[in-house]
Amino acid sequence: MPLLSVFNDLLFGLGVALTPFNMTVAVVGLILGTAIGVLPGLGGTNGVALLLPLTFTLQPTSAIILLASVYWGAIFGGAITSILFNIPGEPWSVATTFDGHPLAKQGKPGIALTAAFTSSFIGALVSIILFTFFAPPLAELALRFGPPENFAVLLLAFATFTGLGGGNPVKTVLMTLLGLLLSTVGFDIVTGQPRMNFGLISLQSGVNFVVIAIGLFGLGEIFLTVEEGLRLEGIRARLSFRDLVETWRQFPRYAATIVRSTILGFWIGVLPGTGATPASFMSYGLARQFSPHPERFGKGEVEGVVAPETAAHSAGIGALLPMVTLGIPGSPTAAVMLAGFFIWGLNPGPLLFQTQREFVWGLIGSMYIANVIGVLIVLTLVPAFAAINRIPFGILAPLIVIMSSIGAYAANNQILDLWIMLGSGVAGYLFKKLGYPLAPLVVALVLGDMTEQALRQTLIMGRGSPAIFLGRPIALGFFLAAALLFALPALRPLWRRARPPAEAKEAMEAGSLR
Amino acid sequence: MRRAEILMALALSLGAGALLRQALRLPIGWTAVGPGAGFFPFWLAVGVAVCAVILLGQGLRAPLTEEGGAPFIPSGAWKPLLAVFLPMAAVVALVDYLGIYLGGALYLAGYTWLVGRHRWHTILPVSVLVPLVLFLIFEKWFLLPLPKGVVLEYFLYGR
């Protein structure tokens, strides 16, 4: 891949993103996304899902810029609630609460917020550069993929949840299988037979993952909030110029952490099916492990904010890479965006770079622009966004319910989906309390059709024998990697016995919170 | 907590059984077009069943610690949980007749009054303005029709 052509493409992309209309779209998306990220119970996945139907009137390039900007905004916004209210508005900002909230309580909310936004920005920017240069070669590699390779990659995605997610691996596998099963509801793609619908006609169109995601994440979160009796009482946030300068002067000290978190975040983001949440946890755990003062973590260590925020934003970018190049979403939010691709009439995958140059490079260009605008917006609007959380919960909760209902209904235009959403909400609450991870279910539901098709085609190619995988080195490599990840929870105790530092164990456990 | 783990594993086993039955109504073996329509769901349901049984075993074998014996839902949490859930279910049940806008307005008013314990000068603007703004956004700007229910349909279009 000649470097010059990448620069040419990038300049072209920046040109697309810098048109007045697309700039406006990006700013609107960023503000909406930040607001969504600040609201507990309304995550980036919900935000993107809610806005998806509204993008049908836009050009695909503007539509993806809008959704991507909402996504960046939500990652920024998640940090605000975590730090000021100790309420992670997003699953990936849970790790930010560990040190961010103590800092805020010590009267340094400005320092915590500046550290969070600045490290998000750096993580994102470096990842975008990685994205720019790695996306085309990865896309070219992907062109050589057949059904066996696709199936092996998908298996690897599911294996990452089990191997790197922490928690009870049996529960993770069960949730993945359940998600795949939900995807089989409706019609069989090959034979056209109606199946798994329990005789209900309304289920023949299948189970929409938007409905499930809103229920599981959005409503489930409300139930948890209510149960814990949380009152949304925040700390007044004022961002002074002195806080900015003081925090930035400290930043060179965290260079190693930032570099490590960025690379880790990008890599975990690129791995299909993982996303920002495990990245932020792992990065926090590693930062503590490498720190000369691990005992300061959890009590208001700035580095404890820098590490997860850098990784989360970096993973957010990385997650878009397999989506654009392979058609495999790296996170639930990317999965929702992927659904958008199909609706806009685009086929995600390696050919996208050739057939939809404006779309792909417009998206990449907009990532540079949106992150620069984003960090400026959040740094100036911190007090305003914090005010959202002063809306009493008695008003906020029904507002979230109504927004969720609209999102769920708009997905398919049927009332049954509202009941499915409600049921998923209760299920999400129970699952979360019992430590069943939700993300694998949603990702599996999205990837289900693709997985089944790849598996069936592979079996047809091999005339019913799975031995076909042995003759295909790329597929076999992915397979072995997947097997290793599936085995990791069983291997980890052995490794830990050989080398038992307390921090490693705690980091592992922190990683299981997801 | 331990009891909840066991109950959840039992429920998931039963669910897997029902899904297995659904899958078995279709061909699960090799057909003229390769693996049959039931092939994929069948093996997935088998996997869910196996996982659920393992989890059931784990739940039963777990020692009864103090934490494990604690109630799954704290006794004080039932009231707020139901106060959130029941109105939510009621509004979903009513959306067919009242639509999202009227149903939403009623829900907002009822919730902020009964649960949020706000005064009318908060309730009124919230429950009137929010549905109105949503109506403008979805119906007018984005031309996305949401269920309006018989009452609003009558006032808007006279049918």
Side-chain angles (χ1 to χ4, degrees):
Chain A
M1 171 61 54
L3 215 56
L4 200 65
S5 87
V6 174
F7 278 114
N8 262 333
D9 286 331
L10 183 59
L11 278 179
F12 170 72
L14 286 173
V16 173
L18 279 170
T19 58
F21 183 73
N22 285 342
M23 287 272 283
T24 316
V25 164
V27 171
V28 170
L30 281 162
I31 294 175
L32 276 175
T34 314
I36 284 165
V38 167
L39 287 169
L42 258 190
T45 313
N46 297 54
V48 172
L50 283 171
L51 287 175
L52 187 60
L54 310 184
T55 61
F56 301 161
T57 49
L58 297 172
Q59 288 287 315
T61 311
S62 307
I64 190 72
I65 290 176
L66 177 69
L67 295 189
S69 302
V70 169
Y71 186 28
W72 315 140
I75 300 183
F76 278 124
I80 300 176
T81 8
S82 307
I83 291 172
L84 298 182
F85 311 97
N86 204 24
I87 299 168
E90 299 285 347
W92 56 71
S93 33
V94 173
T96 309
T97 62
F98 297 165
D99 282 282
H101 192 59
L103 268 172
K105 275 203 290 203
Q106 289 163 22
K108 301 179 204 158
I111 290 177
L113 286 170
T114 311
F117 294 147
T118 313
S119 43
S120 297
F121 174 70
I122 299 173
L125 201 65
V126 177
S127 290
I128 298 165
I129 296 168
L130 290 173
F131 190 107
T132 312
F133 291 95
F134 282 112
L138 199 73
E140 262 171 51
L141 179 77
L143 271 174
R144 280 183 253 149
F145 279 28
E149 283 77 17
N150 281 338
F151 180 72
V153 170
L154 289 162
L155 200 67
L156 182 65
F158 300 133
T160 24
F161 275 122
T162 316
L164 302 178
N168 185 338
V170 183
K171 286 179 177 167
T172 312
V173 172
L174 185 140
M175 292 301 266
T176 312
L177 293 172
L178 218 52
L180 289 171
L181 259 173
L182 278 174
S183 79
T184 65
V185 174
F187 283 100
D188 173 27
I189 22 171
V190 178
T191 64
Q193 278 173 285
R195 61 173 179 176
M196 307 304 284
N197 59 8
F198 294 89
L200 288 171
I201 308 256
S202 319
L203 276 180
Q204 278 186 1
S205 51
V207 180
N208 196 303
F209 71 96
V210 173
V211 179
I212 301 276
I214 290 180
L216 283 179
F217 293 112
L219 299 191
E221 198 62 46
I222 293 186
F223 292 137
L224 284 171
T225 310
V226 170
E227 187 215 271
E228 285 159 16
L230 281 179
R231 284 285 162 267
L232 304 171
E233 284 161 9
I235 293 158
R236 276 184 186 280
R238 210 175 291 125
L239 205 58
S240 71
F241 186 67
R242 231 186 48 205
D243 283 342
L244 274 177
V245 175
E246 195 188 319
T247 316
W248 283 342
R249 227 184 9 218
Q250 285 180 30
F251 250 71
R253 227 187 286 166
Y254 311 125
T257 302
I258 290 172
V259 170
R260 189 186 333 109
S261 305
T262 305
I263 294 170
L264 180 84
F266 188 73
W267 170 237
I268 294 179
V270 168
L271 288 179
T274 43
T277 310
S280 64
F281 278 118
M282 283 192 213
S283 167
Y284 183 86
L286 281 177
R288 183 162 59 175
Q289 214 167 350
F290 279 100
S291 165
H293 313 284
E295 74 284 352
R296 285 190 206 161
F297 278 72
K299 293 171 194 152
E301 174 80 2
V302 177
E303 205 177 343
V305 176
V306 170
E309 282 297 313
T310 312
H313 231 127
S314 174
I317 308 271
L320 294 186
L321 200 148
M323 177 188 77
V324 175
T325 55
L326 302 171
I328 297 168
S331 67
T333 315
V336 183
M337 286 190 209
L338 186 68
F341 279 39
F342 294 117
I343 297 165
W344 305 323
L346 299 174
N347 268 320
L351 285 174
L352 205 63
F353 277 81
Q354 285 148 39
T355 57
Q356 299 288 339
R357 190 167 171 251
E358 183 187 320
F359 178 81
V360 173
W361 288 101
L363 169 66
I364 295 175
S366 82
M367 295 203 280
Y368 286 89
I369 314 282
N371 272 289
V372 175
I373 303 175
V375 77
L376 293 177
I377 290 178
V378 286
L379 283 174
T380 45
L381 289 186
V382 169
F385 282 123
I388 295 176
N389 270 322
R390 297 214 193 97
I391 300 176
F393 193 72
I395 297 172
L396 199 58
L399 272 179
I400 295 172
V401 172
I402 289 172
M403 291 306 288
S404 301
S405 307
I406 291 176
Y409 179 85
N412 253 344
N413 290 326
Q414 55 181 20
I415 303 277
L416 177 74
D417 282 341
L418 293 182
W419 291 108
I420 296 180
M421 170 191 80
L422 199 63
S424 313
V426 176
Y429 166 73
L430 297 175
F431 278 143
K432 223 167 176 179
K433 282 207 73 174
L434 291 171
Y436 287 74
L438 304 178
L441 187 147
V442 175
V443 172
L445 173 56
V446 171
L447 297 177
D449 283 349
M450 214 188 283
T451 313
E452 179 176 10
Q453 208 166 1
L455 178 63
R456 278 162 86 169
Q457 283 172 349
T458 307
L459 286 174
I460 292 169
M461 281 167 74
R463 289 172 218 284
S465 159
I468 181 173
F469 288 111
L470 297 175
R472 306 187 60 117
I474 299 180
L476 193 66
F478 283 130
F479 247 117
L480 291 177
L484 186 74
L485 281 172
F486 273 124
L488 203 60
L491 297 174
R492 204 174 273 145
L494 302 174
W495 179 71
R496 210 184 283 161
R497 209 175 304 152
R499 189 174 154 268
E503 291 99 86
K505 205 176 143 211
E506 273 165 71
M508 246 21 133
E509 275 153 14
S512 75
L513 283 167
R514 196 166 328 175
Chain B
M1 216 52 190
R2 179 169 171 260
R3 207 172 56 175
E5 289 272 6
I6 294 169
L7 282 177
M8 177 61 100
L10 270 177
L12 286 167
S13 314
L14 285 178
L19 290 163
L20 214 55
R21 252 190 62 180
Q22 285 286 309
L24 280 170
R25 300 166 80 156
L26 303 157
I28 61 161
W30 195 262
T31 66
V33 288
F39 163 78
F40 195 57
F42 172 76
W43 289 107
L44 291 172
V46 168
V48 172
V50 170
C51 289
V53 169
I54 295 176
L55 288 172
L56 188 62
Q58 285 180 355
L60 288 172
R61 263 197 350 216
L64 195 62
T65 57
E66 199 169 317
E67 196 196 334
F72 177 63
I73 294 170
S75 55
W78 273 105
K79 220 182 118 191
L81 275 176
L82 285 177
V84 169
F85 176 77
L86 292 178
M88 216 186 264
V91 83
V92 170
L94 284 173
V95 161
D96 239 346
Y97 304 99
L98 293 178
I100 277 190
Y101 304 109
L102 274 186
L106 268 182
Y107 174 61
L108 271 169
Y111 194 95
T112 43
W113 179 42
L114 292 171
V115 184
R117 302 203 177 276
H118 289 281
R119 301 288 189 81
W120 63 270
H121 52 77
T122 312
I123 300 172
L124 213 60
V126 169
S127 54
V128 170
L129 284 180
V130 170
L132 197 68
V133 169
L134 291 176
F135 182 82
L136 288 177
I137 293 176
F138 287 103
E139 307 281 334
K140 296 292 162 201
W141 297 346
F142 290 106
L143 300 174
L144 195 83
L146 293 174
K148 284 176 275 295
V150 279
V151 182
L152 201 60
E153 289 264 351
Y154 179 81
F155 279 114
L156 280 177
Y157 313 107
R159 58 190 149 125

